[in-house]
Short mmCIF file of all heavy atoms in Angstrom, two decimals:
data_model
loop_
_atom_site.label_atom_id
_atom_site.label_comp_id
_atom_site.label_asym_id
_atom_site.label_seq_id
_atom_site.Cartn_x
_atom_site.Cartn_y
_atom_site.Cartn_z
N MET L 3 137.90 -16.58 32.95
CA MET L 3 137.16 -15.38 32.68
C MET L 3 135.69 -15.74 32.50
O MET L 3 135.35 -16.73 31.87
CB MET L 3 137.70 -14.70 31.42
CG MET L 3 136.91 -13.49 31.00
SD MET L 3 137.48 -12.70 29.49
CE MET L 3 138.98 -11.96 30.04
N ASP L 4 134.87 -14.91 33.06
CA ASP L 4 133.43 -15.11 32.97
C ASP L 4 132.94 -14.82 31.55
O ASP L 4 133.49 -13.98 30.85
CB ASP L 4 132.75 -14.18 33.97
CG ASP L 4 131.28 -14.44 34.12
OD1 ASP L 4 130.84 -15.56 33.81
OD2 ASP L 4 130.56 -13.51 34.54
N VAL L 5 131.89 -15.52 31.13
CA VAL L 5 131.36 -15.35 29.78
C VAL L 5 130.80 -13.94 29.60
O VAL L 5 130.98 -13.31 28.54
CB VAL L 5 130.28 -16.41 29.49
CG1 VAL L 5 129.64 -16.17 28.15
CG2 VAL L 5 130.88 -17.80 29.55
N ALA L 6 130.15 -13.41 30.61
CA ALA L 6 129.58 -12.06 30.51
C ALA L 6 130.69 -11.02 30.35
O ALA L 6 130.54 -10.06 29.57
CB ALA L 6 128.74 -11.75 31.74
N ALA L 7 131.78 -11.20 31.05
CA ALA L 7 132.90 -10.27 30.92
C ALA L 7 133.51 -10.35 29.53
O ALA L 7 133.88 -9.33 28.93
CB ALA L 7 133.95 -10.56 31.98
N ALA L 8 133.62 -11.57 28.99
CA ALA L 8 134.17 -11.73 27.64
C ALA L 8 133.27 -11.07 26.61
O ALA L 8 133.76 -10.48 25.64
CB ALA L 8 134.36 -13.21 27.33
N LYS L 9 131.95 -11.15 26.80
CA LYS L 9 131.02 -10.50 25.87
C LYS L 9 131.19 -8.98 25.90
O LYS L 9 131.21 -8.33 24.85
CB LYS L 9 129.58 -10.86 26.23
CG LYS L 9 129.19 -12.27 25.84
CD LYS L 9 127.86 -12.69 26.38
CE LYS L 9 126.74 -11.75 26.10
NZ LYS L 9 125.42 -12.28 26.47
N LEU L 10 131.37 -8.42 27.09
CA LEU L 10 131.54 -6.97 27.20
C LEU L 10 132.86 -6.51 26.60
O LEU L 10 132.91 -5.49 25.91
CB LEU L 10 131.44 -6.56 28.66
CG LEU L 10 130.07 -6.70 29.31
CD1 LEU L 10 130.14 -6.40 30.79
CD2 LEU L 10 129.06 -5.82 28.62
N ILE L 11 133.91 -7.29 26.82
CA ILE L 11 135.20 -6.93 26.23
C ILE L 11 135.14 -7.03 24.71
O ILE L 11 135.64 -6.17 23.99
CB ILE L 11 136.32 -7.82 26.81
CG1 ILE L 11 136.55 -7.48 28.27
CG2 ILE L 11 137.61 -7.67 26.01
CD1 ILE L 11 137.47 -8.43 28.99
N GLY L 12 134.51 -8.07 24.19
CA GLY L 12 134.37 -8.23 22.74
C GLY L 12 133.56 -7.12 22.12
O GLY L 12 133.90 -6.61 21.04
N ALA L 13 132.48 -6.72 22.79
CA ALA L 13 131.66 -5.63 22.26
C ALA L 13 132.44 -4.32 22.27
O ALA L 13 132.33 -3.51 21.34
CB ALA L 13 130.38 -5.50 23.07
N GLY L 14 133.22 -4.10 23.30
CA GLY L 14 134.05 -2.89 23.35
C GLY L 14 135.09 -2.87 22.25
O GLY L 14 135.34 -1.83 21.64
N LEU L 15 135.70 -4.02 21.99
CA LEU L 15 136.68 -4.10 20.91
C LEU L 15 136.04 -3.92 19.54
O LEU L 15 136.62 -3.34 18.64
CB LEU L 15 137.44 -5.42 20.98
CG LEU L 15 138.40 -5.58 22.17
CD1 LEU L 15 138.96 -6.98 22.20
CD2 LEU L 15 139.50 -4.54 22.09
N ALA L 16 134.82 -4.43 19.39
CA ALA L 16 134.12 -4.28 18.11
C ALA L 16 133.74 -2.83 17.86
O ALA L 16 133.65 -2.39 16.71
CB ALA L 16 132.89 -5.16 18.08
N ALA L 17 133.53 -2.07 18.94
CA ALA L 17 133.14 -0.67 18.79
C ALA L 17 134.31 0.23 18.41
O ALA L 17 134.12 1.41 18.13
CB ALA L 17 132.49 -0.18 20.07
N ILE L 18 135.52 -0.31 18.38
CA ILE L 18 136.68 0.49 17.97
C ILE L 18 136.54 0.96 16.52
O ILE L 18 137.04 2.01 16.15
CB ILE L 18 137.98 -0.32 18.19
CG1 ILE L 18 138.23 -0.47 19.68
CG2 ILE L 18 139.17 0.35 17.52
CD1 ILE L 18 139.43 -1.32 20.02
N GLY L 19 135.80 0.19 15.72
CA GLY L 19 135.58 0.59 14.33
C GLY L 19 134.87 1.93 14.20
O GLY L 19 135.01 2.62 13.19
N VAL L 20 134.13 2.33 15.21
CA VAL L 20 133.44 3.61 15.18
C VAL L 20 134.45 4.76 15.24
O VAL L 20 134.23 5.82 14.65
CB VAL L 20 132.41 3.69 16.32
CG1 VAL L 20 131.73 5.03 16.39
CG2 VAL L 20 131.39 2.58 16.19
N ILE L 21 135.57 4.54 15.93
CA ILE L 21 136.61 5.58 15.99
C ILE L 21 137.17 5.83 14.60
O ILE L 21 137.35 6.97 14.17
CB ILE L 21 137.72 5.15 16.97
CG1 ILE L 21 137.18 5.08 18.39
CG2 ILE L 21 138.90 6.11 16.90
CD1 ILE L 21 138.13 4.46 19.38
N GLY L 22 137.44 4.76 13.88
CA GLY L 22 137.95 4.90 12.51
C GLY L 22 136.96 5.59 11.60
O GLY L 22 137.34 6.38 10.73
N ALA L 23 135.68 5.31 11.80
CA ALA L 23 134.66 5.97 10.99
C ALA L 23 134.61 7.46 11.29
O ALA L 23 134.44 8.28 10.38
CB ALA L 23 133.31 5.33 11.24
N GLY L 24 134.76 7.82 12.54
CA GLY L 24 134.78 9.25 12.90
C GLY L 24 135.95 9.97 12.27
O GLY L 24 135.81 11.09 11.76
N ILE L 25 137.10 9.33 12.27
CA ILE L 25 138.28 9.92 11.63
C ILE L 25 138.06 10.03 10.12
O ILE L 25 138.40 11.04 9.50
CB ILE L 25 139.53 9.09 11.96
CG1 ILE L 25 139.85 9.20 13.45
CG2 ILE L 25 140.72 9.53 11.11
CD1 ILE L 25 140.91 8.22 13.91
N GLY L 26 137.47 8.99 9.53
CA GLY L 26 137.21 9.01 8.08
C GLY L 26 136.23 10.10 7.68
O GLY L 26 136.44 10.78 6.67
N ILE L 27 135.18 10.29 8.46
CA ILE L 27 134.20 11.33 8.15
C ILE L 27 134.84 12.71 8.26
O ILE L 27 134.62 13.58 7.42
CB ILE L 27 132.98 11.20 9.06
CG1 ILE L 27 132.19 9.94 8.68
CG2 ILE L 27 132.08 12.42 8.97
CD1 ILE L 27 131.09 9.58 9.65
N GLY L 28 135.65 12.90 9.29
CA GLY L 28 136.35 14.18 9.43
C GLY L 28 137.29 14.44 8.26
O GLY L 28 137.36 15.57 7.76
N THR L 29 137.98 13.43 7.81
CA THR L 29 138.89 13.57 6.67
C THR L 29 138.14 13.89 5.39
O THR L 29 138.57 14.74 4.60
CB THR L 29 139.72 12.29 6.50
OG1 THR L 29 140.40 12.02 7.72
CG2 THR L 29 140.73 12.43 5.37
N ILE L 30 137.02 13.21 5.18
CA ILE L 30 136.23 13.44 3.97
C ILE L 30 135.74 14.87 3.89
O ILE L 30 135.88 15.55 2.87
CB ILE L 30 135.06 12.45 3.89
CG1 ILE L 30 135.56 11.06 3.55
CG2 ILE L 30 134.03 12.90 2.86
CD1 ILE L 30 134.51 10.00 3.66
N PHE L 31 135.16 15.36 4.99
CA PHE L 31 134.61 16.70 4.94
C PHE L 31 135.69 17.78 4.98
O PHE L 31 135.50 18.87 4.44
CB PHE L 31 133.57 16.90 6.04
CG PHE L 31 132.26 16.24 5.71
CD1 PHE L 31 131.84 15.12 6.38
CD2 PHE L 31 131.47 16.74 4.69
CE1 PHE L 31 130.64 14.50 6.05
CE2 PHE L 31 130.29 16.14 4.35
CZ PHE L 31 129.87 15.02 5.03
N ALA L 32 136.84 17.49 5.58
CA ALA L 32 137.95 18.44 5.52
C ALA L 32 138.45 18.59 4.09
O ALA L 32 138.72 19.70 3.62
CB ALA L 32 139.08 17.98 6.43
N ALA L 33 138.55 17.46 3.39
CA ALA L 33 138.97 17.52 1.99
C ALA L 33 137.93 18.23 1.13
O ALA L 33 138.27 18.96 0.20
CB ALA L 33 139.23 16.12 1.46
N PHE L 34 136.65 18.01 1.46
CA PHE L 34 135.58 18.68 0.70
C PHE L 34 135.66 20.19 0.88
O PHE L 34 135.58 20.95 -0.09
CB PHE L 34 134.23 18.16 1.16
CG PHE L 34 133.06 18.91 0.60
CD1 PHE L 34 132.75 18.82 -0.75
CD2 PHE L 34 132.28 19.70 1.40
CE1 PHE L 34 131.68 19.51 -1.28
CE2 PHE L 34 131.21 20.40 0.88
CZ PHE L 34 130.91 20.31 -0.46
N ILE L 35 135.81 20.64 2.11
CA ILE L 35 135.87 22.08 2.36
C ILE L 35 137.09 22.70 1.69
O ILE L 35 137.01 23.78 1.09
CB ILE L 35 135.88 22.34 3.88
CG1 ILE L 35 134.51 21.98 4.46
CG2 ILE L 35 136.22 23.79 4.20
CD1 ILE L 35 134.46 21.94 5.96
N THR L 36 138.21 21.99 1.74
CA THR L 36 139.43 22.49 1.09
C THR L 36 139.25 22.57 -0.42
O THR L 36 139.65 23.57 -1.04
CB THR L 36 140.62 21.57 1.42
OG1 THR L 36 140.76 21.50 2.83
CG2 THR L 36 141.90 22.09 0.80
N SER L 37 138.64 21.56 -1.01
CA SER L 37 138.50 21.57 -2.47
C SER L 37 137.51 22.64 -2.93
O SER L 37 137.73 23.28 -3.96
CB SER L 37 138.05 20.20 -2.97
OG SER L 37 136.75 19.90 -2.50
N VAL L 38 136.45 22.86 -2.17
CA VAL L 38 135.50 23.91 -2.55
C VAL L 38 136.10 25.29 -2.33
O VAL L 38 135.84 26.21 -3.10
CB VAL L 38 134.17 23.73 -1.78
CG1 VAL L 38 133.27 24.93 -1.97
CG2 VAL L 38 133.47 22.46 -2.23
N ALA L 39 136.93 25.43 -1.31
CA ALA L 39 137.58 26.72 -1.08
C ALA L 39 138.58 27.05 -2.19
O ALA L 39 138.73 28.21 -2.57
CB ALA L 39 138.30 26.71 0.27
N ARG L 40 139.22 26.02 -2.74
CA ARG L 40 140.18 26.26 -3.82
C ARG L 40 139.51 26.48 -5.17
O ARG L 40 140.00 27.23 -6.00
CB ARG L 40 141.15 25.09 -3.93
CG ARG L 40 142.12 25.01 -2.80
CD ARG L 40 143.02 23.81 -2.96
NE ARG L 40 143.88 23.68 -1.81
CZ ARG L 40 145.18 23.59 -1.89
NH1 ARG L 40 145.77 23.62 -3.06
NH2 ARG L 40 145.90 23.47 -0.80
N ASN L 41 138.40 25.75 -5.40
CA ASN L 41 137.72 25.85 -6.70
C ASN L 41 136.21 25.83 -6.47
O ASN L 41 135.57 24.77 -6.56
CB ASN L 41 138.16 24.69 -7.59
CG ASN L 41 137.66 24.84 -9.00
OD1 ASN L 41 137.05 25.85 -9.34
ND2 ASN L 41 137.90 23.84 -9.82
N PRO L 42 135.61 26.97 -6.19
CA PRO L 42 134.17 27.01 -5.91
C PRO L 42 133.30 26.57 -7.10
O PRO L 42 132.18 26.10 -6.89
CB PRO L 42 133.90 28.47 -5.57
CG PRO L 42 135.21 29.05 -5.22
CD PRO L 42 136.23 28.27 -6.00
N ALA L 43 133.81 26.65 -8.30
CA ALA L 43 133.02 26.27 -9.46
C ALA L 43 132.80 24.76 -9.53
O ALA L 43 131.84 24.29 -10.13
CB ALA L 43 133.71 26.74 -10.74
N ALA L 44 133.66 24.00 -8.90
CA ALA L 44 133.55 22.54 -8.93
C ALA L 44 132.76 21.98 -7.75
O ALA L 44 132.75 20.77 -7.54
CB ALA L 44 134.94 21.93 -8.94
N ALA L 45 132.10 22.83 -7.01
CA ALA L 45 131.38 22.39 -5.80
C ALA L 45 130.29 21.37 -6.13
O ALA L 45 130.07 20.42 -5.37
CB ALA L 45 130.79 23.58 -5.07
N GLY L 46 129.61 21.54 -7.23
CA GLY L 46 128.52 20.62 -7.58
C GLY L 46 129.00 19.21 -7.84
O GLY L 46 128.39 18.24 -7.37
N SER L 47 130.09 19.07 -8.56
CA SER L 47 130.57 17.72 -8.87
C SER L 47 131.28 17.08 -7.67
O SER L 47 131.26 15.87 -7.51
CB SER L 47 131.52 17.76 -10.06
OG SER L 47 132.66 18.54 -9.75
N VAL L 48 131.86 17.89 -6.82
CA VAL L 48 132.56 17.35 -5.66
C VAL L 48 131.56 16.94 -4.57
O VAL L 48 131.81 15.98 -3.83
CB VAL L 48 133.56 18.39 -5.12
CG1 VAL L 48 134.23 17.93 -3.85
CG2 VAL L 48 134.60 18.71 -6.17
N THR L 49 130.44 17.61 -4.50
CA THR L 49 129.45 17.33 -3.45
C THR L 49 128.91 15.91 -3.56
O THR L 49 128.77 15.21 -2.54
CB THR L 49 128.30 18.34 -3.53
OG1 THR L 49 128.84 19.66 -3.41
CG2 THR L 49 127.30 18.11 -2.43
N ALA L 50 128.61 15.47 -4.76
CA ALA L 50 128.06 14.11 -4.92
C ALA L 50 129.06 13.05 -4.47
O ALA L 50 128.69 12.11 -3.75
CB ALA L 50 127.68 13.89 -6.38
N MET L 51 130.31 13.21 -4.83
CA MET L 51 131.32 12.25 -4.41
C MET L 51 131.55 12.29 -2.90
O MET L 51 131.83 11.27 -2.28
CB MET L 51 132.64 12.51 -5.15
CG MET L 51 132.55 12.26 -6.64
SD MET L 51 131.99 10.59 -7.04
CE MET L 51 133.36 9.64 -6.51
N THR L 52 131.41 13.47 -2.31
CA THR L 52 131.56 13.60 -0.86
C THR L 52 130.48 12.81 -0.14
O THR L 52 130.76 12.09 0.83
CB THR L 52 131.50 15.07 -0.45
OG1 THR L 52 132.56 15.78 -1.11
CG2 THR L 52 131.64 15.23 1.05
N TRP L 53 129.25 12.91 -0.61
CA TRP L 53 128.15 12.19 0.05
C TRP L 53 128.26 10.68 -0.15
O TRP L 53 127.90 9.90 0.74
CB TRP L 53 126.80 12.71 -0.41
CG TRP L 53 126.51 14.05 0.18
CD1 TRP L 53 126.43 15.24 -0.47
CD2 TRP L 53 126.29 14.35 1.57
NE1 TRP L 53 126.20 16.25 0.42
CE2 TRP L 53 126.09 15.74 1.67
CE3 TRP L 53 126.26 13.59 2.72
CZ2 TRP L 53 125.87 16.36 2.90
CZ3 TRP L 53 126.03 14.22 3.93
CH2 TRP L 53 125.83 15.58 4.01
N ILE L 54 128.76 10.26 -1.28
CA ILE L 54 128.98 8.83 -1.50
C ILE L 54 130.06 8.31 -0.56
O ILE L 54 129.91 7.25 0.08
CB ILE L 54 129.34 8.55 -2.97
CG1 ILE L 54 128.13 8.81 -3.86
CG2 ILE L 54 129.85 7.13 -3.15
CD1 ILE L 54 128.43 8.79 -5.33
N GLY L 55 131.13 9.05 -0.43
CA GLY L 55 132.19 8.66 0.50
C GLY L 55 131.70 8.66 1.94
O GLY L 55 132.04 7.76 2.72
N PHE L 56 130.89 9.64 2.30
CA PHE L 56 130.33 9.69 3.65
C PHE L 56 129.46 8.47 3.92
O PHE L 56 129.54 7.87 5.00
CB PHE L 56 129.51 10.97 3.82
CG PHE L 56 128.70 11.00 5.08
CD1 PHE L 56 129.31 11.21 6.30
CD2 PHE L 56 127.34 10.81 5.04
CE1 PHE L 56 128.56 11.25 7.47
CE2 PHE L 56 126.58 10.84 6.19
CZ PHE L 56 127.20 11.06 7.41
N ALA L 57 128.65 8.08 2.96
CA ALA L 57 127.77 6.92 3.15
C ALA L 57 128.57 5.64 3.31
O ALA L 57 128.23 4.78 4.14
CB ALA L 57 126.82 6.80 1.96
N LEU L 58 129.64 5.50 2.56
CA LEU L 58 130.47 4.29 2.67
C LEU L 58 131.17 4.22 4.02
O LEU L 58 131.24 3.16 4.64
CB LEU L 58 131.48 4.24 1.53
CG LEU L 58 130.89 4.02 0.14
CD1 LEU L 58 131.97 4.14 -0.91
CD2 LEU L 58 130.21 2.67 0.06
N VAL L 59 131.68 5.34 4.48
CA VAL L 59 132.36 5.35 5.78
C VAL L 59 131.35 5.12 6.91
O VAL L 59 131.63 4.41 7.87
CB VAL L 59 133.13 6.68 5.97
CG1 VAL L 59 133.65 6.82 7.38
CG2 VAL L 59 134.27 6.76 4.99
N GLU L 60 130.19 5.70 6.79
CA GLU L 60 129.16 5.52 7.82
C GLU L 60 128.67 4.06 7.85
O GLU L 60 128.31 3.56 8.91
CB GLU L 60 127.99 6.46 7.54
CG GLU L 60 126.99 6.53 8.64
CD GLU L 60 127.54 7.15 9.92
OE1 GLU L 60 128.49 7.94 9.84
OE2 GLU L 60 127.00 6.81 10.99
N ALA L 61 128.69 3.39 6.72
CA ALA L 61 128.30 1.98 6.69
C ALA L 61 129.27 1.14 7.51
O ALA L 61 128.86 0.21 8.20
CB ALA L 61 128.27 1.47 5.25
N ILE L 62 130.55 1.49 7.49
CA ILE L 62 131.53 0.77 8.31
C ILE L 62 131.21 0.94 9.79
O ILE L 62 131.31 -0.01 10.57
CB ILE L 62 132.95 1.28 7.99
CG1 ILE L 62 133.20 1.14 6.53
CG2 ILE L 62 133.97 0.64 8.89
CD1 ILE L 62 134.18 0.17 6.07
N ALA L 63 130.81 2.15 10.18
CA ALA L 63 130.45 2.38 11.58
C ALA L 63 129.22 1.56 11.95
O ALA L 63 129.14 1.02 13.06
CB ALA L 63 130.20 3.86 11.81
N LEU L 64 128.27 1.46 11.05
CA LEU L 64 127.08 0.68 11.35
C LEU L 64 127.41 -0.81 11.45
O LEU L 64 126.83 -1.52 12.28
CB LEU L 64 126.01 0.92 10.29
CG LEU L 64 125.38 2.31 10.32
CD1 LEU L 64 124.43 2.49 9.15
CD2 LEU L 64 124.67 2.55 11.62
N TYR L 65 128.33 -1.29 10.62
CA TYR L 65 128.76 -2.69 10.73
C TYR L 65 129.40 -2.95 12.09
O TYR L 65 129.15 -3.97 12.72
CB TYR L 65 129.73 -3.06 9.62
CG TYR L 65 129.14 -3.09 8.24
CD1 TYR L 65 129.89 -2.74 7.14
CD2 TYR L 65 127.82 -3.45 8.03
CE1 TYR L 65 129.36 -2.77 5.87
CE2 TYR L 65 127.28 -3.48 6.76
CZ TYR L 65 128.05 -3.13 5.69
OH TYR L 65 127.52 -3.15 4.43
N ALA L 66 130.23 -2.03 12.55
CA ALA L 66 130.87 -2.19 13.86
C ALA L 66 129.82 -2.19 14.96
O ALA L 66 129.91 -2.98 15.91
CB ALA L 66 131.88 -1.07 14.09
N LEU L 67 128.82 -1.35 14.84
CA LEU L 67 127.75 -1.31 15.83
C LEU L 67 126.95 -2.60 15.84
O LEU L 67 126.62 -3.13 16.90
CB LEU L 67 126.83 -0.11 15.57
CG LEU L 67 125.64 0.03 16.50
CD1 LEU L 67 126.10 0.34 17.91
CD2 LEU L 67 124.70 1.09 15.99
N VAL L 68 126.66 -3.13 14.67
CA VAL L 68 125.90 -4.38 14.58
C VAL L 68 126.69 -5.53 15.20
O VAL L 68 126.12 -6.35 15.94
CB VAL L 68 125.52 -4.68 13.11
CG1 VAL L 68 125.04 -6.11 12.94
CG2 VAL L 68 124.46 -3.71 12.64
N VAL L 69 127.98 -5.59 14.94
CA VAL L 69 128.79 -6.66 15.52
C VAL L 69 128.82 -6.53 17.04
O VAL L 69 128.69 -7.54 17.77
CB VAL L 69 130.22 -6.63 14.93
CG1 VAL L 69 131.16 -7.52 15.71
CG2 VAL L 69 130.19 -7.06 13.48
N ALA L 70 128.96 -5.30 17.55
CA ALA L 70 128.97 -5.12 18.99
C ALA L 70 127.64 -5.52 19.61
O ALA L 70 127.60 -6.19 20.65
CB ALA L 70 129.28 -3.65 19.31
N LEU L 71 126.53 -5.16 18.98
CA LEU L 71 125.22 -5.54 19.51
C LEU L 71 124.99 -7.05 19.41
O LEU L 71 124.36 -7.64 20.31
CB LEU L 71 124.12 -4.78 18.79
CG LEU L 71 124.07 -3.27 19.09
CD1 LEU L 71 123.03 -2.59 18.22
CD2 LEU L 71 123.81 -3.02 20.56
N LEU L 72 125.47 -7.67 18.36
CA LEU L 72 125.36 -9.12 18.26
C LEU L 72 126.13 -9.82 19.38
O LEU L 72 125.65 -10.78 19.97
CB LEU L 72 125.87 -9.61 16.90
CG LEU L 72 124.92 -9.44 15.72
CD1 LEU L 72 125.64 -9.80 14.43
CD2 LEU L 72 123.69 -10.29 15.89
N LEU L 73 127.30 -9.32 19.66
CA LEU L 73 128.09 -9.91 20.74
C LEU L 73 127.41 -9.74 22.09
O LEU L 73 127.48 -10.62 22.95
CB LEU L 73 129.47 -9.30 20.77
CG LEU L 73 130.43 -9.73 19.65
CD1 LEU L 73 131.70 -8.90 19.70
CD2 LEU L 73 130.74 -11.20 19.77
N LEU L 74 126.76 -8.61 22.27
CA LEU L 74 126.12 -8.36 23.56
C LEU L 74 124.84 -9.16 23.76
O LEU L 74 124.60 -9.70 24.84
CB LEU L 74 125.79 -6.87 23.71
CG LEU L 74 126.95 -5.95 24.08
CD1 LEU L 74 126.48 -4.51 24.10
CD2 LEU L 74 127.53 -6.35 25.41
N PHE L 75 124.01 -9.22 22.75
CA PHE L 75 122.66 -9.71 22.96
C PHE L 75 122.36 -11.08 22.34
O PHE L 75 121.34 -11.69 22.67
CB PHE L 75 121.64 -8.70 22.44
CG PHE L 75 121.71 -7.40 23.19
CD1 PHE L 75 122.10 -6.25 22.56
CD2 PHE L 75 121.38 -7.35 24.53
CE1 PHE L 75 122.16 -5.05 23.24
CE2 PHE L 75 121.45 -6.17 25.23
CZ PHE L 75 121.85 -5.00 24.58
N VAL L 76 123.19 -11.57 21.43
CA VAL L 76 122.88 -12.84 20.77
C VAL L 76 123.74 -13.96 21.31
O VAL L 76 123.24 -15.04 21.63
CB VAL L 76 123.05 -12.72 19.24
CG1 VAL L 76 122.87 -14.07 18.57
CG2 VAL L 76 122.06 -11.71 18.69
N PHE L 77 125.02 -13.73 21.42
CA PHE L 77 125.93 -14.80 21.85
C PHE L 77 126.10 -14.84 23.34
O PHE L 77 125.91 -13.99 24.07
CB PHE L 77 127.30 -14.64 21.17
CG PHE L 77 127.20 -14.79 19.68
CD1 PHE L 77 127.38 -13.71 18.86
CD2 PHE L 77 126.94 -16.02 19.12
CE1 PHE L 77 127.32 -13.84 17.49
CE2 PHE L 77 126.87 -16.16 17.74
CZ PHE L 77 127.05 -15.06 16.94
#
C-alpha cells in the first residue's frame, strides 16, 4: 500500500469521531427541548448544563479533526 493512500485512509477513519459528535449534539439538544417542554420553570438551570455538555461534545469533534489533519499534513 502506498504511503499517501494510507494517510488518506487514516484521516478518513479519524474523522469518524465527528459522526459521534453529531449524534451527541443531537441527543443533548433533544433532551434539552424535552426537559424545557415538561418544566418551563427550570429552563434557566438546564440551559447552562446544556451548553457545557455541548462544549464537551464539540471538543471531541475538534480532537477528531485535529488528528485527521495531523495525519494528512504532518506524517
Side-chain angles (χ1 to χ4, degrees):
M3 176 182 288
D4 188 23
V5 175
K9 285 171 52 172
L10 292 174
I11 291 172
L15 290 174
I18 290 176
V20 176
I21 295 171
I25 293 169
I27 290 171
T29 304
I30 287 171
F31 283 110
F34 172 69
I35 291 169
T36 303
S37 65
V38 170
R40 289 178 185 234
N41 188 5
S47 63
V48 176
T49 303
M51 294 304 291
T52 300
W53 286 112
I54 291 171
F56 170 74
L58 292 174
V59 171
E60 190 66 25
I62 304 248
L64 290 174
Y65 292 147
L67 178 66
V68 166
V69 168
L71 290 174
L72 282 173
L73 287 172
L74 282 177
F75 297 114
V76 174
F77 296 110

